Structure formats: C-alpha cells, structure tokens
Amino acid sequence: MPDTAPQVYSIAAHRGFADALVAGLIPRYADPNLGLARLTLLLPSGRAVRTMTEAFVRVSGAGLLLPRMAVVGDLDLDETLGPLLDPLGAPDIPPAADPVRRWLQLAAFIAEDRPQLSGSARLRLAFDLGRTIDRLLAEEIAPDHLFGDTVGDLLGDLSRHWIDSLHLFATVQAKWLAELGARGEVDAAERRNRLFRHAAARWREAPPATPIVAAGVTSAAPAIAALMRTVADLPHGALVLPDFDLSLAREVWDELGTATAPFARGEAVTHPQYHLKLLLNRMGVNRDEVQPWHRAGLGKGPPERSHAISSLFLPPEASRAWVDLPPEKRRLAGVRLMECAHPEEEAQAIALLVREALEVPEKRIAVITPDRGLAARVVQHLRRWHIAADDSAGRPLAQTAAGRLLLLLAEVGAEQAAPVPLVALLEHPLVRAGEGRADWLDAARGLELALRGPRLAPGLEPLAALAPGAWWDDVAAILAPLLDPAVRPLSAQLDALAAAGEALCGEALWGREDGRALAVLVDELREPARELGTALDPAELPAVLRDAMDRVGVRPSYGGHPRVAIYGLLEARMTRAELVIAAGLNEGVWPAAAAPDPLLAPAVLRALGVPGADFRIGLAAHDLAGALGAPEVVLSRARRDAGGPAIASRFWLRVEALLGEDLADRHHERATLDLARALVEPEPVPPHPRPHPRPSPEQRRVRVSVTALDRLRSDPYQFYANSILRLKELDALDAEPSPAWRGEVAHAILERWHKGEGTLAVLADQELARMHAHPLMRALWRPRLLKALEWVELQLADSERVPTVIEEWGRMEVKGVELFGKADRIDVLADGTLAVVDYKTGAPPSGREVENGYALQLGTLGLMARAGAFETLRGEPVRFEYWSLGSSQDSETGFGYVTTPLLEGAKRSGIPPDEFLPQAEYFLHDALDKWISGDTPFTARLNPDAPGYATYDHLMRLDEWLGREG
C-alpha cells in the first residue's frame, strides 16, 4: 500500500451529508459506462442505505448504476462485500452464536448461581449481561482483563452489590465462553471484529482495484477504527465523516481531552465531537489531515450556521467566550424555538408545521425525536389532513395488534382467565375478523356484562354459567391448554399460545407486518428454548414476552407520504430535509438519562477503557448538531410531561444562552402555537344551566320503590335518570366488592338461615361458592362476615320477637301510584305489634337524614306493613331498627349494633314514636304529589346537603354549574 496521507474528509453540518456526499462521489468515481457500479460504499446502517439510494436519485437526475452498499456491523458483512474478501466468507472465522440461544443459555447459567431469582428476573438479567459482554467485545477487552491489577485495585472501594455483580458476570461469562468453545462459535460482536480485522489485513496486503469509500461511520470501536484507517489508506479509498467540525479552535479541540482509553475524569465526553476525536485517535489520524469534501449538498443550510453550531457546544472553559462572541458566530437564522405547554400541544403544533410545509412543492420535512410517544401523537394528528406519516423507528411489537393478542393470551393463562384480559382478548379486533364477527361480539359482550363486578374464582369453570353454551364451549376448548399453572417448558407454552391465537384469529394473526414480526420472534425463541429445555412459570410469561417484544420494532412496509418522515435518532443520521423539526428536547428524553451498566460499576468500566454512560450524551449532541444544519430548523419541547413539570434539555438551554435573551425571544415560534391552541379550544359558550327536566305526565307515572323514594326527595334528577330514563350504572370489570355486592351476599345468607336451611358458616360458604367469589376476597371478607352474622344469631337467640317476613316483596297503591319494596325482616313482638328491621353492611342513615325525609325506607315499609302489603302478616309497626353489620366495640363478636331513628330512652334526638309513621306518610305523599302526579321539575342536587351518589354527576354536568346556581 503506498505511503501517502490517509484520505479522510469531512462534510460540514450545514451542507447536508447525503446529498453533498453523492455530489462528490459522482465526479470522483463515476465511470462513463458503468456509472458507480464499481464503487463500494461502507455505510453505518440499513437506514443509511435507503437514505443514500434516495440521494443518488435526487442528485443524478437521470439513470445511474448504483454502487454496492454494505452495512458496517452486519453479520453477513463477508457475503455483502462479496469478491472483495478472498476467500469468500473468511473460513477461519467461526460462525456467530444465535443471539436468542445465548440469551436463554445465559439465563440458565444465572439460575445456577442465583437460584432464588424468578424466571423473568433471570431472563431480564441475562439480556443485560449479554449487552455488557457485547460492550466489552466492541472495545476488544479480553475476559482476563476483569481479573487484572487495574480492576483488582478498585475492589476495595466498591460496595458489596458491585462486587457480587462483578463475580456473577465473570462466572457466567466464563461458562459462556466454554460453551462457545465446545460449539465452535463466537459471539456476533466478536465475529464482526474478526471480519473487520480480516478485511483490513486483506486490503492492506492486496488493495482492491475498485474504489471503497466509508461514509457516515462514526463508531470508534477499535476494529472499526482499524478498518476505517485501512479504507482511508487505499489508493482509491476514502473515509467521509459526517458533521466533523473543522472550524473548531485548537484549544477547544485540546479541551475535549485525550480521548484515549482508559478514559480519565474530566474528559468532555458529552461534546458532539468527542467520539469523532476518539475515532481519529484510534485510526492514528491527526485532525489536521482531515480535509473538507468541498461538495455542496442540495438544500444546504447557511454556512454561518456551522459556526453557531460549533459555538453552541463549546466545552466549559471555552464557553466563556460566549460573552465576547461576535454576531456571526452566534447567528442561528432559520432556527426557531417552540415551547409548548404539554406533549399533546407539541404534537399538534408539529403536525401543523408539517402541514404548512407541504404546501411548498418538493419540500421535504423530517421530524426527529427519540420520544416514541410523541412520534405516535404526531402521526395521529397528521391523519386529520389524510397525511400518512410512518415512524421509521417503528412501533414496539407489544403495541401492535398481533403482539397485543399474543400478550393477552399469555395474560389469560397467567391470571387464570381474569375478567380484564379475558374480555380484552375476546373483543380483540383480530379475533374472528370478517364474517361472523358480529355474532361473536354479541356473545362476548354478553359475557362482559355478566363479568362486571368482583372477580370470580379463577379458571374457566365459573364462567360456564354466564356465557352462551355452544359459543363458550368453543372458547373454553381454545383457552383450556393455556390455564395449566404448573411450571412448563417455554417452547410448549409458545406452542400453546400460537395454537390458541390461530384458533381465534386464523391467518389474520400472521398476515400483516406485525404478524410476520411476531412469527419471527416466536420461531426464534421457540427452537432455542426447546433445545435448552428452558422452563418458566406461566405467571411470568407475559412479562418475558413483553420484554422480548419491546425490543422488536415493527415498521410499515409502504404507504407513507413521500415528503414526510418521522425518525428516531439512529434513523435520522445522514438524512436531510428542507425543514427539520427536532422534538422532545427535554432532559431525560434528548439526551436520554444516562443509565449505568447494571452489572459492572462505572469505575470498573472506566478502568477497562469502556466509554461511560455519558458518552451517549455526546452522540445525542452530535445528532442534534447534524439536525441543526438543515435550511429550516424548529426545536420544540413541552414544559410538562405525563409525570409533571419537565426540565428543558441542556441543548435547549445552550441554544437560549447562545442567542441571549433578546435574540431567543425573536426566535420563538408563536403563530403555530396559537393556531394549535385554537384548534382544540372551542368557541366560548355560556355556562351550562342546572338541569331541571320536566317529563310528560305519562313519563312520570312509574312504579316507585321504597329505596328510590329517598333519592326522589334528596336529588330528583337522580330518580329521573334511574327510574324514568332507566340509565343503570354498570360495575367495572374486576371491581372491588361494593357495598351492594356485600349486602347481597349477607342478605342471601340471612334469608336462608332464617328459613332454617343450615348454619351460618355453611350457608356463607355455599353462597360465596354460588357467586364464585374469588378465593382472595373470600379469605379476607368471610371471617368478618361470619362475626357479624354470629352477632345477629346471638341477638335473636334470647329474644321474644319472631322474625316473620324475611326478604319478602310487598306492594301497595298510593294515590294511584304503585309503591313496592323488599323488607329485610319484620318481626312480630310479644304483644302482636311489629318491628321493621333493615340490615346494613355499612353505616346506617343518621337521625337528621331520617328527619329531613332523605331516608324513608323504614317508615315506608312500616306503612306498607300496616296496609297489608306483605301477604304473611299485618299489624301495627311500633319499632323501626337498623341492624348494622359494621364493627362495634360493644358487640360480643366485635361486629354488629342496633340503632333506631325513634326518640326513646336517653336519646336526645330522633322522631317521637307516635309521629314516625305520620311523618313518613307526609313525605311519601309530598313526593308523589310533586314529582309523580304533579309537574315539579326533577331539579339536579335539589338538596345539596342530602347524602347521595355520584353516579349521574357527569350526566347532570355538575362541575359546569355547581356554585353558579343563583
């Protein structure tokens, strides 16, 4: 190889890397007959290949044979480079180990050392351990370095946690290396290193006759740096760096640090040029040897922008120069700042910017953000104008339809057919899609209604009585294999999930891009799991699958707008657009929070020469510097996120500081924000009035229950909504046991006990079993319930009263209106008079509520008993009692007490016994005259101090008029 200076070039940020690169490649390497077909381009990613292909089409303006493009780091690099590597495939380089098999095998090794960890915890730790192995391999750090003097000297300063983690890592890595040796394989990262070294050695010995150019590669891994140096030394080779700052002053370049391993404290690793300095150092190239590419890109930004970008990211000492920085060094013309209130407003404003820019013919727009949630919001907002913008970073597989269905199947098995995952599964859009889905949904929704309320006992058997027979039999047959709670092979569980998914969805499960990605994941996971015998508790399967799916990005295959792109940071590298919107500029998002390695302490990594967590901040800064080179740039952030106030990104703060208060104010984008707010802010409307519906006389003539009578007097609107409109509240799925549910169980037990059908304990077990109560709820509530019921038994044991009416319905007509109600219990006293008893599982009504006519149940039942509304007895009620099953210090069992609204004994408040029924009759007639027979409006919250429910607050739009009634 000739002894010449390495051919290393730089394209400034403002020039647009891809277009400027192509504009220089064509005159340098194009052949009149073959075009660029003899050229080989080494690119950093698959996305870069697509970007360069588009750039060739734009710049050439005519037909052109494209160069061969290979992705650096591809496992098939030897095959991609083809005849340039001789012999093809480098036979001395072992094959790469399957990454999924490695993951499962590492988890098995971890289980040997830490058997107390759950299966999902072992698999999560195994994935982290594999990433740490790859980090060390990328830096070509041998395993024995962990036991060298450098690391050994640190052990005394490390906490026990880090020492244990280091021991675990070393132990598992040693077992894994032995496994690789036995199988004749190497890790994928190690194989790439060997391929790079092989290519570098081969090209040094026999330089290819055809040109090779590496472009956009910024990784500073030693093997890649060696390959880049070889490419730069080839007779027809070159390395082109993106956004390398040739204008950076020498003293600033020196302030970045030495950029050599081991990395010393104080290195400016967060600077966007630091990783490029590290690459040049490992290549053995001096900064002065880097030349400008001297080819203008299409749609380039202003040249002075590069000076401002350089000034923007100055390290601490050099940033003191901001005070005396001349205007041309801080000029950011074409850059706007957009500070939004919250992420939804930010997404709306970004969508408006995109929509506005599309009015300009051929203008390209790129939205760049590491926040996937924000990207998804932007995509949805653009649909308002029928703009299909695909997020090239993709959606996690777990958030797609196919991925979610498999997770729901796993959750149904893990939670033993709990209501929420079961209903979500049966109503999933992929299930029974097409003909017959309407009937399927009718049956599924019927089951959903039956399942509302507290969770039933686990398993499929309790559900059989709630669902249509033949339909449920088919569902149960599909789901039954998933509900085995025993620890089973992971491969068998995946087989069961796939079979159940196909039975429910058919080919629709695998037919789209998310289904194809899911099929690949299942196949990649199933075969190694079967080979290794990986077993897992089914309760942990959803967490394991979710972790695996979150690592798989699903990208749409086609359909996006040709001039709109939404990128993550990796996907955005090398791209160019006339308008770039860099969004999500909050700390913890861009840049992402620096997460330490979970296994090796930062001090250990630093001693080994591995770049620390802050190194990624420098990469994020470089991504922003590249984005700032576009002709038009909008930087956006939200002041709040889902968790509360958000902190502006350090990059955002630097832009404001560089511009200064006056200039920053001029750069803020306000017109778009005003329009975004106007889109979601409705026209001012007068406050909603307090509802007071007046139904017709025919609508008013409804049956009135004794319990609804209280609601009629306290809040007529609630009576109107419940009894006239017949709007009933639905319980939530898997709801906590409500007072009504607990009361239903207690009343059923007491009814059967009074009828002599068994002991309280036996009847309680039977009723809870009949209702298929969940074992946990049964275990927590049954002892308390039995203590309260035992108190009832003790109260009646020595009493002379005779319970005669037990849970019996009664009816009577008052002023032409049917009044009905169910008496919990009516006792016949020794003198033949009656005692009306109402059981309460909670606190009974207060005396004031009864006096004001808001708790009329006891009095109304007494009127009904006196009028013979109950077939089994008639008499004069003289006692009215609430028997509460709540806790009581005075009770023998700790639960149960009796109260009465009557004024008797030493009580200071209450209604005199001889006035109780007349008062109840007055309130009854008054209510019927006003609202049932009369035309009084059903005014909402007529008596604000009366007890009530919030069931219909949203229907009456309470918050819109409460406090403005006058």
Side-chain angles (χ1 to χ4, degrees), residues 63 103 107 135 232 330 335 376 428 439 499 511 527 604 633 687 852 875 936 946:
W103 175 39
R135 287 185 69 186
R330 64 170 76 218
V335 176
H428 190 281
D439 294 335
E527 293 309 315
V604 172
V633 180
N852 292 333
T936 303

Side-chain angles (χ1 to χ4, degrees), residues 262-321:
F263 300 97
R265 291 184 180 274
E267 301 267 299
V269 294
T270 60
H271 193 277
Q273 298 294 308
Y274 182 84
H275 66 292
L276 295 176
K277 182 173 185 177
L278 178 61
L279 173 61
L280 292 180
N281 285 350
R282 288 179 170 177
M283 288 175 59
V285 174
N286 190 285
R287 175 173 177 258
D288 295 333
E289 295 179 285
V290 181
Q291 311 167 56
W293 186 243
H294 283 316
R295 298 288 176 179
L298 300 181
K300 66 176 182 177
E304 61 271 14
R305 182 86 58 77
S306 288
H307 296 295
I309 296 172
S310 178
S311 301
L312 178 65
F313 294 102
L314 288 175
E317 289 296 325
S319 61
R320 295 179 180 179

